[in-house]
Amino acid sequence: MSGSHYFTGAPEVASDRRPITVSLPDLTLELTTDTGVFSRSRLDPCTRILLEHAPQPRVRGPILDIGCGYGPIALTWASRRKRLPVWAVDVNERALELVRLNAESLGLGNVQAALPDDVPEDVRFATIYSNPPIRIGKAALRRLLTHWLDRLTPDGSAFLVVQKHLGSDSLQKWLNEQGYPTTRVTSVNGCRILEARPRPEVGEGSESGRGTTT
């Protein structure tokens, strides 16, 4: 990416903000993107498939977008569920600035953009929607996913979109092997949506966290 990866904390490439329109069947968002963030020139095709085909939240509670970029997933769900808190998490400071800018321009007061370490430990998520950063490498990706999957509420779900050729099937198998019941929801144009549920042992020990989901 022109000398700067979108998964670095502070992209070195010069800023060049520009508008982008995200048009979905149920809403249209006018957003600002920038260099140094993921898919800045258009809505990523797999992200679009996630937003158009992933199920609605199965339970009520906070929503999380892992690797939010400029915010299309977080802002879409914040628009669809204006009474729910939506967390947009990324290591890229420029991306987080864009999420805050876009949330303000859309009048969405239910969006919280944060670095991973800045999310309070007691926050649990009812639903995760993510196009995870596959290109950070297998080991880093697995650490990332297990960290956030372990913060699902006992009845929560994570919906992850991963291209088949980037390892969606092997990821599904690995998640199941780690104890996260994972199924394929759908596959559209090679973009597979997986639904991962909490590990049973995590759910059984999380009764005290239920109060944080409403």
Side-chain angles (χ1 to χ4, degrees):
M1 176 176 288
S2 302
S4 181
H5 293 293
Y6 62 82
F7 45 81
T8 60
E12 296 178 358
V13 63
S15 174
D16 180 22
R17 290 182 176 179
R18 62 180 59 182
I20 186 173
T21 300
V22 174
S23 297
L24 300 168
D26 59 327
L27 55 83
T28 298
L29 303 176
E30 300 295 337
L31 305 178
T32 297
T33 68
D34 202 346
T35 52
V37 300
F38 175 64
S39 194
R40 75 126 172 182
S41 61
R42 61 168 183 159
L43 181 64
D44 173 72
C46 281
T47 298
R48 176 179 296 280
I49 287 167
L50 180 73
L51 293 174
E52 293 184 355
H53 295 277
Q56 302 288 315
R58 303 202 188 282
V59 293
R60 184 177 176 82
I63 294 171
L64 170 65
D65 174 11
I66 307 168
C68 61
Y70 60 90
I73 296 174
L75 297 166
T76 293
W77 282 106
S79 299
R80 289 171 173 171
R81 295 289 188 275
K82 292 185 178 179
R83 295 185 179 181
L84 294 180
V86 177
W87 287 79
V89 172
D90 207 301
V91 299
N92 186 326
E93 294 274 14
R94 185 176 295 177
L96 297 177
E97 290 177 7
L98 291 170
V99 174
R100 297 182 187 110
L101 173 69
N102 287 324
E104 182 177 1
S105 68
L106 294 170
L108 296 172
N110 58 330
V111 178
Q112 181 69 43
L115 295 167
D117 290 344
D118 291 340
V119 180
E121 287 293 331
D122 62 347
V123 176
R124 294 293 180 266
F125 301 97
T127 314
I128 295 171
Y129 291 100
S130 178
N131 183 347
I134 299 294
R135 297 186 189 280
I136 64 175
K138 183 181 292 186
L141 177 69
R142 289 176 172 181
R143 288 193 299 269
L144 175 80
L145 291 178
T146 55
H147 173 78
W148 294 111
L149 290 175
D150 284 344
R151 296 184 66 170
L152 281 170
T153 58
D155 48 2
S157 293
F159 298 102
L160 312 173
V161 65
V162 181
Q163 291 186 33
K164 178 182 178 181
H165 78 272
L166 291 180
S168 60
D169 294 349
S170 61
L171 179 61
Q172 179 182 349
K173 179 182 178 182
W174 182 82
L175 288 170
N176 275 303
E177 290 172 347
Q178 302 309 302
Y180 304 99
T182 303
T183 57
R184 186 193 307 170
V185 175
T186 190
S187 181
V188 181
N189 296 332
C191 299
R192 296 186 169 172
I193 299 176
L194 307 178
E195 179 177 8
R197 304 295 302 276
R199 289 187 286 200
E201 61 268 28
V202 173
E204 291 167 5
S206 301
E207 291 297 322
S208 62
R210 288 182 184 272
T212 65
T213 66
T214 58

